[in-house]
Structures are given as C-alpha cells and as structure tokens.
Amino acid sequence: MNVRGLAVLFLAGTSLAASAPEQVHLALGKTTDVLNVEWVTQERGGDATVEWGLTPALGQSGAGNTRVFTQDAGRTWYTHVASMTALKTNTLYYYKVGDSANGYSAVFNVTNRRQRAAGEPYRHVLFGDMGSSCAFSLCEACTQSSYTCDASTCATNRTNVGLISEHDADMFLHVGDFGYNLDTNDGAVGDHFFRNVEQVAAYVPYMVSHGNHEDGAGALAHYMEGFRLMPSNAIPPTYTTTNGATTNSMYFSWDHGLVHYIAMSTELWFGVTDGNTTIASFVAWVKDDLTKANANRHNVPWVVVHGHRSIYCSCDGDCHADAYKVRATMEPILFDYGVDFFINGHEHN
C-alpha cells in the first residue's frame, strides 16, 4: 500500500571506503546454535568471512558465500552471507565481518537466544511498512525529507524511543515493505534502508516477510538477495529473480521461545511467482509445516502466521476484493490447524 506523502528526497553521501563491509544484519539460524549474518560490499566481491568470540578479541571464524548483484543500472555490487556456529544459548558474542581484500566491519555484539528468567516474557518487536525515509519507527530523528536515518542521525535525538531503544529485544520481525522501494534510484534507496537498520539489525536478529513494495522485478531481486540469510526451509528451496536463483524467502518458518513463526508472501495471490514457488507450492508446504508445529505444541505452544497484506480489515478498498482473495485460501487453513494469530502490515497512514 502506498499512502506515504510525497516529498523531495535527497541521497546523502557516505564516508565508507569503496568496498568496506556495510549494511550488516543478522537472522536466526535453522538451529538454536547458529546465527546468520549478511553484509554488502560495493565494488569488490572478495571472501565472505565472519569472526566471533566471547570477547572483542574474537578467535573463531567461518567462511560464507558471496553473490554478485547486477540488476542496478551503472553498478555491480555484492552480498555476503556467513554463519556463526556452535553458539551457546543465553551467551553474549562479539563478531565482525569482511575479508583481507575489503577490510572488516566494526565489532558488533549479539546475545544468542537469550533465556529469560522465570516469569519474564520474551521480547519480540513486530512492525511493517517502515521505509528509508519516514522511518519514524526507527527513531525520532528520521524524517520524510531524507533517506538517511543511520546511527549518526538517530544519535541527534532521544535514543530511548523507537527501534533503537530495543537492543534488549530477542527478535525483530518486519512484515514487508522495506525501502519504498529497494530498487529506487538504481538501488540507492535500498542501500540507505540497510544502512539505516544496521544500528539495530547488527545486534538483534531481523526477521522478515515479503511485501507488495517488493513485487517489481528489481525490488524483488533486492529483497531476495538482501534477505537471503533467512533460515529458509521452503520447498522449493530456491527462488529465481532477474538476478538468478537464491534462497527462497517467500515462505519459511522458525521457532523462537514459545512461538512458531511462519512467514508467507501474500504477493503470491497477486501474480508474483517464478513458476516454481506458487500458491499451490505454498499451501502444500504450510499444511505440512503446521502439522509438524502442532505436534510440537507441548514445547512451542503458540503458532503465528505473518504476511504483508490483510486478510481481515475494514479501512479501505484493500479490505474487499484483495483481502478476500487471500482469505479464501488461508482462512480454512488457519482455522483447521488452530493458528493463534495472523499478523500483517500494509494498512497505514
């Protein structure tokens, strides 16, 4: 949904070295002892390496993989994904990413699968439709007139409100619509989005689902490559965009604490497909996933499905034909398998 105000936006310059690691963001791994990390270099590919340890001296390292991105006019850039493995739960780790050719990032830190005290709730922060400009959920200093709202921007205002105050969160979940749009200005808007969220996403796993502003060919390629670190268990396991085949993050699931989360792309109902990932492939996969989740309710009692568009709403035209289109398929599944919540974005001012 695009009801965001019009403004003249400017692209601020950056002091980053040409190929320095940037846009660092985390995701949960497929098992509780793994965290995935992704980052970007602008001019050289190099090797994908993450180093981590219990102190800033680090001490452990792991190799990852690099993919070239060729869909922005006039430039070629690279995404890198690596995993920190054999991690202990409830343990603070320090890490950095990069390689000898491109240099390394700053040292960040993350607590792997924090174990809350008895009676203390987990802290899952859910939101959607944030944008590069108008990212008011990120911090109070974000504006409509600039795509830039990075750590230096947010430091100029209160830091005890917005996502920047949530470094104690266990997980972020962004339910679609990221940069408005990730491929705008030959991908510069996507760069700003990932630079902006690095100040939170490099410290807390940043989980996602696909939105309608990632539907166009360029935006979809940016989404799939920018979030290919997700712990996807989709069938089929890859999705092909104009940039090639990569991790299928159109739908996947994971557990965190007492919740089983299922990410789904509502955009499958609106023509987004590579011919292999379809409504039919999703329905077959989600029924199997929900069967397994229900068998594990004694350990993980809550089941949450999330996507971008509404299946129930009453505010505008989206709530008629569009909502019904997804609801006709999903409502019987949600009821038959006892899903506790369906969470979406899309409707906003």
Side-chain angles (χ1 to χ4, degrees):
M1 186 178 187
N2 190 5
V3 292
R4 300 158 62 81
L6 297 175
V8 177
L9 298 169
F10 66 88
L11 297 178
T14 176
S15 59
L16 291 169
S19 286
E22 58 166 309
Q23 306 177 34
V24 179
H25 51 292
L26 293 164
L28 299 169
K30 290 185 177 180
T31 56
T32 59
D33 63 343
V34 174
L35 287 171
N36 300 330
V37 58
E38 182 166 1
W39 67 99
V40 162
T41 54
Q42 293 291 344
E43 292 185 2
R44 289 192 300 267
D47 298 321
T49 304
V50 58
E51 299 182 11
W52 72 93
L54 297 174
T55 72
L58 309 178
Q60 296 177 272
S61 66
N65 62 83
T66 296
R67 282 179 57 83
V68 61
F69 193 91
T70 60
Q71 300 307 297
D72 293 330
R75 67 173 185 146
T76 297
W77 51 278
Y78 303 86
T79 63
H80 313 267
V81 173
S83 297
M84 294 176 273
T85 60
L87 304 179
K88 297 178 181 179
T89 59
N90 206 38
T91 302
L92 177 68
Y93 288 92
Y94 297 86
Y95 75 96
K96 67 180 181 181
V97 298
D99 62 76
S100 57
N102 293 310
Y104 285 87
S105 69
V107 174
F108 302 100
N109 62 79
V110 57
T111 297
N112 180 50
R113 302 275 183 163
R114 190 190 319 272
Q115 302 298 299
R116 297 291 183 174
E120 183 184 9
Y122 287 97
R123 194 173 184 88
H124 297 180
V125 181
L126 284 60
F127 57 96
D129 304 79
M130 187 163 69
S132 298
S133 66
C134 301
F136 309 118
S137 298
L138 186 58
C139 77
E140 286 189 329
C142 298
T143 70
Q144 188 178 10
S145 61
S146 174
Y147 289 125
T148 300
C149 193
D150 57 16
S152 61
T153 307
C154 289
T156 65
N157 211 316
R158 289 193 300 169
T159 59
N160 62 340
V161 294
L163 296 180
I164 62 167
S165 69
E166 297 287 353
H167 278 194
D168 190 43
D170 300 293
M171 184 193 80
F172 293 122
L173 173 56
H174 188 153
V175 291
D177 283 11
F178 298 93
Y180 291 87
N181 291 337
L182 294 175
D183 63 329
T184 296
N185 292 345
D186 298 325
V189 169
D191 285 342
H192 279 278
F193 171 81
F194 283 106
R195 289 170 187 154
N196 292 347
V197 300
E198 182 184 84
Q199 61 190 303
V200 294
Y203 299 90
V204 176
Y206 197 96
M207 311 302 287
V208 299
S209 51
H210 174 237
N212 67 294
H213 276 271
E214 293 77 57
D215 281 0
L220 180 60
H222 273 264
Y223 167 77
M224 298 300 287
E225 299 292 350
F227 291 112
R228 65 186 184 88
L229 77 166
M230 291 295 127
S232 181
N233 55 356
I235 299 173
T238 61
Y239 188 98
T240 301
T241 72
T242 53
N243 202 65
T246 189
T247 303
N248 189 350
S249 56
M250 296 297 268
Y251 50 82
F252 57 99
S253 66
W254 72 92
D255 293 341
H256 193 290
L258 302 177
V259 184
H260 180 72
Y261 284 100
I262 298 175
M264 62 173 284
S265 174
T266 54
E267 302 315 292
L268 295 173
W269 280 261
F270 299 90
V272 179
T273 179
D274 66 350
N276 295 311
T277 295
T278 63
I279 296 171
S281 72
F282 167 70
V283 168
W285 173 86
V286 78
K287 287 181 176 179
D288 179 67
D289 189 83
L290 284 167
T291 297
K292 295 173 182 174
N294 281 338
N296 194 40
R297 292 257 193 176
H298 58 290
N299 292 315
V300 184
W302 295 92
V303 176
V304 173
V305 176
H306 60 92
H308 182 66
R309 296 191 196 230
S310 306
I311 60 173
Y312 304 103
C313 62
S314 59
C315 58
D316 60 25
D318 288 334
C319 303
H320 303 303
D322 285 358
Y324 177 78
K325 188 180 291 188
V326 184
R327 185 168 70 244
T329 304
M330 288 303 300
E331 185 176 68
I333 296 172
L334 299 177
F335 278 100
D336 288 349
Y337 289 88
V339 171
D340 297 294
F341 292 99
F342 179 84
I343 294 173
N344 65 274
H346 195 57
E347 304 298 336
H348 58 86
N349 58 30

